[in-house]
Amino acid sequence: MAATLTTADREHLKRALELAEGGRGRVSPNPLVGAVLARDGHLIGEGFHAELGDLHAERAALEDCRERGEDPSGATMYVTLEPCAHTGRQPPCVEAILEAGISRVVIGSDDPSEKASGRGAGMLRDGGVEVELAAGEEATAARLLNQPFRKHARTGLPLVTLKLAMSLDGQTTTPPGASPWISGPESRQLVHRWRAESDAIAVGIGTVLADDPLLTARPDPSGALFASLGSKKRTGSGLRQPLRVVFDSRGRLPLGSRLLQTLDESPVLVVASEQADPERLAALRAQGAETLTAAGSSDPDRIQAALADLGRRGITSLFLEGGRTLASAFRAADSIDEARTFVAPILLGGPAPASSLATTTEQVGDDVLIKARLKEW
């Protein structure tokens, strides 16, 4: 049952949510978790799950508490996710909480995975610990913090985030011979961060044939956008790199593509249909790519089959790039969970592109109104 939290409770839980962000891009497929220990309203320890395989947030907070010379016995722990009750890469956090003599635990959100789903909270109550589940703003923030983990736990499928960039007149590609970029440099750097936070990135073969992209996460010169991101798979940039997925029904990915020339940075998975030429798929495998033949008579069927396969591999988040064709196919498969759209202040239709327009934006109901002044008289 959800509890009514005090002002101090809410502040400590908000701090735990802030701490949890320190693991973004570092801990997948595990969830982001932060924890705070407090006594009489005063913080005596804090921590977060910083790297896959390292201490969970609860144990990190307890370690910090002891390093500060504090005794956690009788304290309250605020944790963004239900403490684990099973042994994985780390021992159960429930055991550590009980051994430390924590008297009260405030939980931001439940853990819907099969190994948890209320077990942690139940074991704490059985051990004499007062357990309260948050409600309201903090509970919502705790659930939103781990949407990829939650979807994968409930469905076995990755969370799919669609990224689009378009001009004011709805164009998603630039004219032949022009710069391929629609969005500005700041937006492109943000996309690189989103890539580094994702388990996999996907494009269609049309995008690959047109742009020959790398699809890796690359830092901005200052490194500011990536200061908090770590790595499971690192390159010279130090960034975690996603699995690169190409939806390529006929296996047309060029053997000399930059994707296949950079397999040392990140693997490539080609998703083909049952009609693809087996010899062509064998050639891709010989180059070092992995291939997946997705069953189904339509693009939506094949997309759903591919997502199920990615989920079985432990992929919890898929960042979808590649334009309207692939986006439309995912939409037809009802497989898009979130959309992030950049609208650039340019016009690409007509006889000549128009750029550097003066724009303003405002919220109108559920819509965002963008005004662009094309001419000034």
Side-chain angles (χ1 to χ4, degrees):
M1 183 176 178
T4 300
L5 303 183
T6 67
T7 299
D9 288 336
R10 297 184 66 184
E11 290 303 314
H12 289 311
L13 195 50
K14 286 178 180 178
R15 175 57 182 162
L17 288 163
E18 292 173 357
L19 290 166
E21 287 288 346
R24 190 171 295 280
R26 298 172 180 264
V27 300
S28 181
N30 281 4
L32 300 171
V33 186
V36 165
L37 281 166
R39 178 184 291 109
D40 299 325
H42 299 292
L43 188 147
I44 60 172
E46 61 180 23
F48 63 95
H49 186 30
E51 293 279 354
L52 187 67
D54 284 358
L55 289 179
H56 287 183
E58 298 92 327
R59 290 180 180 270
L62 286 166
E63 184 175 276
D64 180 58
C65 176
R66 295 180 178 112
E67 288 178 353
R68 294 172 185 238
E70 299 282 356
D71 180 4
S73 179
T76 295
M77 174 174 282
Y78 301 86
V79 61
T80 58
L81 186 74
E82 174 187 346
C84 63
H86 64 281
T87 299
R89 294 180 177 87
Q90 288 286 323
C93 290
V94 165
E95 290 183 358
I97 293 170
L98 292 173
E99 290 170 0
I102 301 297
S103 63
R104 177 174 176 250
V105 174
V106 178
I107 298 173
S109 68
D110 66 305
D111 180 342
S113 61
E114 186 177 352
K115 293 178 179 179
S117 193
R119 288 186 61 223
M123 291 176 66
L124 289 173
R125 290 190 180 100
D126 290 344
V129 177
E130 179 186 356
V131 177
E132 297 185 73
L133 301 179
E137 178 183 338
E138 291 75 26
T140 299
R143 291 193 302 272
L144 293 178
L145 181 69
N146 282 306
Q147 287 297 288
F149 171 77
R150 296 180 70 84
K151 182 182 179 184
H152 189 263
R154 287 176 164 167
T155 68
L157 302 173
L159 188 87
V160 177
T161 299
L162 169 67
K163 186 276 296 182
L164 287 175
M166 66 175 62
S167 64
L168 285 171
D169 51 345
Q171 304 297 312
T172 57
T173 57
T174 58
S179 167
W181 306 116
I182 292 177
S183 56
E186 295 85 359
S187 296
R188 296 199 296 273
Q189 281 302 320
L190 185 56
V191 168
H192 281 291
R193 178 178 181 124
W194 290 341
R195 288 178 178 179
E197 293 173 352
S198 302
D199 292 341
I201 178 173
V203 295
I205 185 58
T207 294
V208 176
L209 295 177
D211 300 337
D212 192 21
L214 283 171
L215 302 181
T216 52
R218 301 182 294 281
D220 61 342
S222 71
L225 279 174
F226 297 90
S228 66
L229 293 180
S231 171
K232 286 191 301 181
K233 166 69 176 177
R234 295 180 184 268
T235 65
S237 68
L239 293 177
R240 172 181 182 259
Q241 296 294 340
L243 168 69
R244 297 173 290 176
V245 182
V246 181
F247 282 82
D248 181 11
S249 60
R250 290 185 284 163
R252 293 185 292 157
L253 178 64
L255 299 182
S257 67
R258 294 204 295 171
L259 287 171
L260 297 182
Q261 300 306 310
T262 55
L263 290 169
D264 60 325
E265 296 188 39
S266 182
V268 172
L269 172 66
V270 177
V271 179
S273 71
E274 295 172 314
Q275 286 70 48
D277 182 353
E279 292 185 3
R280 182 65 186 169
L281 297 183
L284 290 170
R285 290 193 293 271
Q287 285 288 101
E290 185 179 358
T291 63
L292 167 65
T293 300
S297 58
S298 66
D299 287 342
D301 289 342
R302 288 189 287 272
I303 284 172
Q304 290 174 344
L307 290 176
D309 183 271
L310 290 171
R312 287 191 290 270
R313 297 165 183 253
I315 299 295
T316 66
S317 57
L318 178 67
F319 190 55
L320 182 61
E321 296 188 56
R324 286 182 169 175
T325 300
L326 190 61
S328 296
F330 267 77
R331 185 68 186 93
D334 193 23
S335 296
I336 297 175
D337 298 292
E338 181 179 336
R340 301 173 183 176
T341 303
F342 295 108
V343 181
I346 57 176
L347 294 174
L348 295 175
S355 60
S356 300
L357 306 176
T359 61
T360 61
T361 62
E362 61 182 278
Q363 190 85 24
V364 181
D366 292 334
D367 303 325
V368 176
L369 172 63
I370 302 175
K371 296 179 181 178
R373 188 176 62 250
L374 307 185
K375 298 179 182 180
E376 183 173 340
W377 300 95

